Amino acid sequence: MADTDRDLVLQTAALARLQLDEREAQHLGPQFEAILRQFRQLEGVDVGDAEPTTGATGVRDVLRADEVRPSLEPGVVLANAPHRVGDFYAVPKTVGGPD
Amino acid sequence: MSAEFERDGTAWISASTGTRWVPVIGLEVHAQLATQSKLFCACEVRFGAPPNTLTCPICTGQPGTLPVLNATAVELAVRVALAVGAEVAAESKFDRKNYFYCDIPKNFQISQFDRPYCTGGGIQLPSGRFVRLTRIHIEEDAGKAIHDRGDETLVDLNRAGVALIESVSEADMESPEEAVEYLEALKEIIRYVGAGEADMEKGQLRCDVNVSVRPQGEPWRTKVEIKNLNSFRNAREALEYEIPRQIEAYESGDETRFPRQETRLFDVRAGVTRTMRSKEGASDYRYFAEPDLPPLALSESFVERQRGLLCELPEARRRRYREELGLSEYDARVLTAVREVADWFEAAARLSGRPKETANWIANDVLGGLADPKIEATSIDELPLKPFDLAELIALVAEGTLHSTGAREVMGEMLRTGAAPRALVAERGLEQVEDEGRLEVWCREALEGREQVVADVRAGRIKALGAAVGPVMKASAGKANPRRVREILLRIIGEDE
């Protein structure tokens, strides 16, 4: 497996918060490459005349009025939380997330 | 910081090398839009509610739910865009910005990546610089993670999904002072167009700063991002720490210390910035089009309707107040800081026909009344005193019925009760004494036994006259016109010479 494949696998795994060991990375590398190869076929399609699009349905501007409706009770939203402190979700200490 | 710098304009001159270092600063500002409900669901937006009481299946990211865009959020966002002269895109779209953090329940934030709703425009700073805007986009807020209560991080999702706009400036600023001016101007615009309160204490305006330094005239160097600055003061202090830190790192010659592309956090207590993590590239966020939201196509008529709702913006008002009404820069600034105050001033100035006096009364007394806990008013429109009454009071002074001391007293009462000034003047017997005979008697009495005053005035020390004016004002219970008193005193001293 080329180093770039391996790096791509490890980078993707890191972004997905997955821990892969070297053996797993070796195993997944060729699979990754096969998937990417499949998609690269699209690069061969001539799209010179096609208008860029932002959606396939043609639907536009689905808006709702700015009206408040009742929220859920904390007991309901927190019912499936693995761990809670009072009416807060509680998670292992993590300081400083992304934007 | 050990090294010393002398500042000259925007340059920081190193004492050890003499190099003129110039900062390069750009800002990303998140502002909360003044909607009743969240951006994509009907949960109420309310600051300070008990934790996790304002959430629903949509804003907590439950499977099978679909977001629907809040029309008011779009209107408010467009108003800000028009106010800063940005170009509103005929079509824009939403994207998912993917990352894992406990405050983002869906594991992605709905934002706008490559097709924001507006681009361009800019903000004129009072000190002269024009700061260009790259873009503004609409996005949802994250929840709140609390780290300082116990061993765990606590998460409140009330804020998750609240409507924000993020304004991204070009790196056009060169000093901490300009960065603060920009923030103030942007805040003012957001408030003026009614798009949001932009109250930093409530987290409604938050900013990230991008900053690098370079020797004057040289190309840009690596920029550092400082995140989550939640007051103007924090923004200034973070820059005042970070700029010399970067310069020192370069001047050390030690390449391992050179600034690298990273995100830093400002530690408010210690007054320093610290490395948080190395910066993600855009690709790390794996942006892709939000499949659950159709594109947003804003018609020209929609945009024009929003344009029609814009008022005259603060910078334009200040210019008009200076140039057409003859107000000082300071007064213009005080009057325009809050839109309601500016509107109130204009109403009173139109009625009185005396803009300068009107401005003085508002700056010195009316705004003071707002700060008085005995007068329960949080905005100028809630005061018992109305623009018409201030205009009346100014007229009473101008026509000579009321002198300035009496006017102050009347103003105090008007602020508390909203009583009409003419009625108050009559009720309290505050009309100025115009009777020349009585004024002259008081003046002659005041000069008796004050030979030194007479001598001083005759010797040309006119200032000494004040010692005789006081007793006359006292004798008249404040009802004499001080200008007239001075004239009479001078005449008497002159006669007896």
Side-chain angles (χ1 to χ4, degrees):
Chain A
M1 181 178 64
D3 272 355
T4 46
D5 297 346
R6 189 178 152 279
D7 290 348
L8 187 62
V9 170
L10 291 178
Q11 158 81 351
T12 307
L15 289 172
R17 303 294 187 267
L18 294 174
Q19 205 169 20
L20 295 186
D21 61 27
E22 192 62 32
R23 198 180 51 80
E24 288 167 317
Q26 291 285 351
H27 177 66
L28 290 170
Q31 296 186 16
F32 242 68
E33 185 47 39
I35 294 167
L36 291 174
R37 208 167 37 239
Q38 199 73 21
F39 275 93
R40 280 197 199 105
Q41 287 185 25
L42 293 173
E43 288 170 5
V45 180
D46 180 10
V47 291
D49 295 334
E51 285 275 310
T53 177
T54 47
T57 60
V59 177
R60 293 277 183 283
D61 290 342
V62 179
L63 297 167
R64 47 170 262 274
D66 181 24
E67 282 161 9
V68 172
R69 272 187 274 157
S71 297
L72 294 176
E73 292 294 322
V76 178
V77 282
L78 286 153
N80 289 328
H83 184 39
R84 59 189 273 190
V85 171
D87 282 341
F88 289 100
Y89 301 88
V91 297
K93 195 118 182 168
T94 40
V95 179
D99 306 52
Chain B
M1 291 290 115
S2 50
E4 291 196 3
F5 298 95
E6 192 189 319
R7 292 188 59 185
D8 176 26
T10 58
W12 298 56
I13 305 163
S14 161
S16 50
T17 65
T19 307
R20 293 174 68 87
W21 292 90
V22 177
V24 179
I25 301 168
L27 296 181
E28 293 168 17
V29 181
H30 290 89
Q32 188 177 317
L33 295 172
T35 56
Q36 303 296 311
S37 64
K38 292 185 180 181
L39 184 56
F40 297 116
C41 67
C43 285
E44 185 185 358
V45 176
R46 178 154 46 92
F47 180 76
N52 295 307
T53 52
L54 304 175
T55 68
C56 74
I58 295 170
C59 58
T60 55
Q62 306 298 326
T65 56
L66 285 173
V68 186
L69 185 57
N70 184 329
T72 301
V74 177
E75 291 170 8
L76 299 178
V78 166
R79 259 187 252 170
V80 176
L82 294 172
V84 298
E87 186 172 338
V88 178
E91 185 168 294
S92 67
K93 71 174 177 63
F94 289 89
D95 300 277
R96 292 187 178 180
K97 179 181 183 179
N98 298 276
Y99 64 88
F100 296 115
Y101 194 60
C102 58
D103 63 5
I104 194 105
K106 298 193 291 287
N107 290 337
F108 59 84
Q109 176 193 28
I110 303 178
S111 180
Q112 296 190 297
F113 181 52
D114 57 338
R115 304 278 298 270
Y117 84 97
C118 83
T119 52
I123 293 177
Q124 179 66 52
L125 303 188
S127 65
R129 195 182 296 278
F130 183 78
V131 178
R132 291 167 300 155
L133 281 166
T134 314
R135 57 185 282 167
I136 309 177
H137 60 259
I138 300 171
E139 64 182 24
E140 59 176 341
D141 207 345
K144 209 163 104 189
I146 300 159
H147 305 294
D148 55 5
R149 271 190 243 168
D151 298 331
E152 292 161 307
T153 291
L154 304 182
V155 183
D156 173 10
L157 296 180
N158 284 348
R159 211 180 61 189
V162 167
L164 303 178
I165 45 171
E166 177 175 353
S167 314
V168 181
S169 84
E170 294 287 320
D172 283 348
M173 287 157 276
E174 293 189 331
S175 70
E177 292 77 15
E178 286 181 349
V180 170
E181 267 188 72
Y182 170 85
L183 284 169
E184 283 172 348
L186 183 58
K187 172 181 172 160
E188 218 171 47
I189 289 168
I190 290 167
R191 293 175 62 123
Y192 256 67
V193 302
E197 283 177 57
D199 184 340
M200 287 195 112
E201 277 179 26
K202 292 182 185 163
Q204 293 168 339
L205 198 72
R206 304 192 291 273
C207 96
D208 305 335
V209 173
N210 288 298
V211 56
S212 63
V213 297
R214 55 169 170 165
Q216 201 161 41
E218 284 190 17
W220 288 2
R221 298 190 178 194
T222 307
K223 71 173 181 193
V224 163
E225 182 176 25
I226 311 171
K227 282 199 113 32
N228 287 328
L229 299 167
N230 53 15
S231 75
F232 293 164
R233 195 174 142 196
N234 284 357
R236 200 190 64 234
E237 287 178 355
L239 283 165
E240 282 170 349
Y241 173 84
E242 181 64 17
I243 291 164
R245 185 193 74 82
Q246 291 188 15
I247 299 172
E248 272 192 41
Y250 285 123
E251 293 207 327
S252 74
D254 175 359
E255 287 192 22
T256 63
R257 286 185 56 200
F258 283 11
R260 57 201 171 94
Q261 190 168 328
E262 63 173 355
T263 301
R264 298 176 73 88
L265 270 185
F266 181 58
D267 179 335
V268 179
R269 257 169 257 168
V272 303
T273 63
R274 294 185 214 280
T275 297
M276 186 165 121
R277 63 196 144 89
S278 41
K279 175 89 180 125
E280 284 90 352
S283 67
D284 291 353
Y285 287 123
R286 291 150 292 148
Y287 279 101
F288 62 87
E290 167 57 84
D292 290 343
L293 287 166
L296 181 63
L298 298 172
S299 68
E300 216 165 293
S301 64
F302 174 88
V303 174
E304 287 315 307
R305 202 160 53 241
Q306 295 311 313
R307 198 189 299 279
L309 294 170
L310 290 183
C311 61
E312 186 185 25
L313 292 170
E315 188 54 34
R317 280 194 172 190
R318 278 193 283 277
R319 199 177 327 122
R320 184 162 58 80
Y321 290 2
R322 284 194 313 266
E323 291 171 7
E324 289 175 25
L325 304 181
L327 300 189
S328 67
E329 169 66 25
Y330 176 80
D331 281 344
R333 199 154 279 287
V334 168
L335 294 172
T336 53
V338 176
R339 179 181 168 180
E340 288 76 24
V341 173
D343 291 343
W344 204 99
F345 160 71
E346 293 195 20
R350 225 177 1 257
L351 291 164
S352 72
R354 293 171 182 269
K356 274 191 188 171
E357 283 91 332
T358 310
N360 285 341
W361 277 110
I362 294 175
N364 297 331
D365 296 82
V366 179
L367 293 179
L370 274 182
D372 186 342
K374 286 195 290 272
I375 302 167
E376 284 179 12
T378 53
S379 80
I380 196 163
D381 293 327
E382 290 175 16
L383 283 175
L385 172 73
K386 300 298 167 204
F388 174 80
D389 301 315
L390 175 57
E392 275 282 294
L393 182 69
I394 290 168
L396 286 169
V397 176
E399 72 194 30
T401 307
L402 195 57
H403 61 77
S404 56
T405 322
R408 278 247 124 68
E409 186 185 328
V410 170
M411 169 55 84
E413 190 59 25
M414 288 163 70
L415 274 169
R416 276 187 296 275
T417 64
R422 276 189 202 280
L424 278 173
V425 168
E427 185 185 306
R428 299 187 171 208
L430 289 169
E431 296 98 332
Q432 290 197 130
V433 176
E434 297 289 341
D435 180 340
E436 287 284 315
R438 273 169 78 190
L439 287 175
E440 183 157 348
V441 171
W442 284 329
C443 286
R444 288 192 185 279
E445 280 170 8
L447 288 173
E448 265 168 41
R450 288 198 171 79
E451 285 78 16
Q452 192 56 45
V453 173
V454 175
D456 283 348
V457 171
R458 284 183 182 157
R461 289 185 288 276
I462 303 290
K463 257 175 122 177
L465 201 61
V469 175
V472 178
M473 294 308 292
K474 201 174 165 194
S476 73
K479 289 195 268 183
N481 177 344
R483 197 168 37 93
R484 190 74 200 112
V485 170
R486 297 177 78 87
E487 286 167 8
I488 295 171
L489 284 169
L490 285 173
R491 177 168 54 77
I492 296 169
I493 293 170
E495 275 170 7
D496 297 350
E497 204 166 355

